[in-house]
Amino acid sequence: MNSKTRAKPDIVDWNNDGKLDLVVGMEYGNVQIILNTGTLKEPEFASVQELTFKNGKPFKGGMRCDVTVCDWNGDKKKDLLTADEFGVVRYFENIGTDAKPEFQDEIQLKADGWPIRWGQKQLKQNFDFNNDGQNDSVMINNYGQIGGYKGDYVNVDGEKYACTEKRCRIAGCDWNHDGNDDILVGLDSGGVELLLNKGIEGKYEFGPPVKLAADSKEINAGPEVSTMVTDWDKDGKDDLLCIDNTGKCTFYANIGTDTQPKLTAGKEVAPTKPYKIMYGSRSRLETADFNGDGKLDLLFGPSYNWKGRLYIFLQK
């Protein structure tokens, strides 16, 4: 794929044909659809389609658009959420079908009547961080504070949480499989903090941050680290993937249990050819089984890339 810059992909079966497609937010707010025209085991991607509104107007999701595909309104059709460089969050309702999405003009999300403008940070959706039984969205702002869209902030033992480092990145997971969604905070210095959800209904209440360790040493996965919890080695237990702003991806295997994870020393996940991928703090990492072989593969949208390329690395 070669288009504009800072491609941020989401992975979804866009046209419900049983194959994984790409939905990509771009530098200037446009969104591109790239359909898999091959097979599940041997994917091939069609030429880029620029997403437009039903009336033909160009789709705009805001500067340096980060896009998430989800059923936001519960009507069992794919909607779109975008978060831009300035923290503005937009909702685009699908007025077509689930297999052939079409979209209305944007609705800017508000909290108690005020537009959401959270600063140059990321959006996390499809987790229930405040234990009210519904998926919600949280963002981290330039001050390291994490909050939802009703003005509620993540608290740690009753005090508002604020990461002490710049360029923090957040990820959602149920780290100890207690049924409550927890938060991982990737730090500028390469460490990873875990915030365990206390499970109080209607509250963003978490325990004190704990630095994650691997092989009895605090994790240092490189500068401006992003994290993802997934069963990378397919042994039935959740592992930890980290990627820093140079493109180095590190795998920490869980040799404990799902309820009491214990991580091994990090092992770099490197391609067989000497590619140099500049990942960057505004980039995006996703995992999916692209070729149907039962193993997770990696999809990168690097921010330090001036041609908007996407990279897929198949796990051997």
Side-chain angles (χ1 to χ4, degrees), residues 139-203:
M139 293 182 75
I140 184 168
N141 64 17
N142 289 337
Y143 304 102
Q145 300 164 334
I146 304 171
Y149 296 146
K150 293 183 179 179
D152 298 326
Y153 287 85
V154 165
N155 291 315
V156 169
D157 290 342
E159 299 292 332
K160 187 184 297 184
Y161 170 82
C163 184
T164 57
E165 299 187 22
K166 296 181 180 180
R167 297 185 182 274
C168 298
R169 305 282 290 176
I170 57 175
C173 67
D174 184 358
W175 181 256
N176 56 359
H177 284 249
D178 63 354
N180 300 315
D181 289 326
D182 309 308
I183 296 176
L184 292 179
V185 183
L187 303 177
D188 189 19
S189 60
V192 179
E193 286 187 347
L194 168 66
L195 303 178
L196 285 176
N197 193 331
K198 289 188 173 183
I200 302 174
E201 185 176 351
K203 299 289 185 181

Side-chain angles (χ1 to χ4, degrees), residues 49 68 79 145 154 162 181 190 197-198 204 235 239 243 250 254 275 278 285 299 305:
Q49 302 175 26
T68 296
D79 304 309
Q145 300 164 334
V154 165
D181 289 326
N197 193 331
K198 289 188 173 183
Y204 294 104
D235 65 351
D239 309 303
I243 187 164
T250 307
N254 178 10
Y275 292 107
M278 296 301 290
L285 166 69
L299 173 67
N305 183 305

Side-chain angles (χ1 to χ4, degrees), residues 46-303:
S47 58
V48 170
Q49 302 175 26
E50 289 285 344
L51 186 64
T52 62
F53 292 111
K54 187 175 181 179
N55 60 10
K57 287 170 48 180
F59 187 96
K60 292 295 181 182
M63 189 71 173
R64 293 175 180 168
C65 169
D66 197 342
V67 62
T68 296
V69 182
C70 62
D71 180 10
W72 181 254
N73 59 357
D75 64 356
K76 298 184 179 179
K77 296 187 295 185
K78 303 177 188 74
D79 304 309
L80 293 182
L81 285 179
T82 66
D84 71 13
E85 176 76 354
F86 306 103
V88 176
V89 181
R90 297 172 171 88
Y91 161 56
F92 301 89
E93 181 184 359
N94 179 4
I95 57 173
T97 67
D98 193 49
K100 293 184 178 180
E102 295 181 308
F103 296 95
Q104 299 258 44
D105 286 342
E106 70 178 63
I107 297 175
Q108 186 175 337
L109 295 189
K110 298 180 179 181
D112 290 338
W114 292 89
I116 298 165
R117 301 184 66 88
W118 262 68
Q120 302 175 22
K121 290 294 178 181
Q122 82 196 98
L123 168 72
K124 276 292 169 188
Q125 200 266 337
N126 288 339
F127 291 94
D128 181 12
F129 291 115
N130 66 346
N131 311 292
D132 63 357
Q134 297 180 338
N135 287 345
D136 53 28
S137 301
V138 296
M139 293 182 75
I140 184 168
N141 64 17
N142 289 337
Y143 304 102
Q145 300 164 334
I146 304 171
Y149 296 146
K150 293 183 179 179
D152 298 326
Y153 287 85
V154 165
N155 291 315
V156 169
D157 290 342
E159 299 292 332
K160 187 184 297 184
Y161 170 82
C163 184
T164 57
E165 299 187 22
K166 296 181 180 180
R167 297 185 182 274
C168 298
R169 305 282 290 176
I170 57 175
C173 67
D174 184 358
W175 181 256
N176 56 359
H177 284 249
D178 63 354
N180 300 315
D181 289 326
D182 309 308
I183 296 176
L184 292 179
V185 183
L187 303 177
D188 189 19
S189 60
V192 179
E193 286 187 347
L194 168 66
L195 303 178
L196 285 176
N197 193 331
K198 289 188 173 183
I200 302 174
E201 185 176 351
K203 299 289 185 181
Y204 294 104
E205 191 68 39
F206 291 76
V210 176
K211 289 281 186 69
L212 290 188
D215 198 22
S216 302
K217 297 179 181 178
E218 285 189 2
I219 288 175
N220 188 339
E224 299 177 28
V225 63
S226 296
T227 63
M228 174 177 286
V229 174
T230 185
D231 183 7
W232 178 249
D233 55 8
K234 291 294 183 180
D235 65 351
K237 296 178 294 188
D238 284 338
D239 309 303
L240 179 67
L241 281 178
C242 295
I243 187 164
D244 70 8
N245 72 352
T246 70
K248 184 182 74 172
C249 185
T250 307
F251 162 55
Y252 298 90
N254 178 10
I255 58 172
T257 66
D258 268 337
T259 56
Q260 292 183 315
K262 182 180 179 181
L263 303 178
T264 63
K267 179 180 179 182
E268 186 173 351
V269 179
T272 53
K273 295 181 180 181
Y275 292 107
K276 179 62 176 175
I277 301 175
M278 296 301 290
Y279 185 65
S281 61
R282 293 191 180 98
S283 303
R284 184 147 169 178
L285 166 69
E286 296 288 342
T287 61
D289 181 4
F290 269 97
N291 56 356
D293 64 356
K295 292 179 285 190
L296 289 178
D297 309 306
L298 293 179
L299 173 67
F300 293 89
S303 70

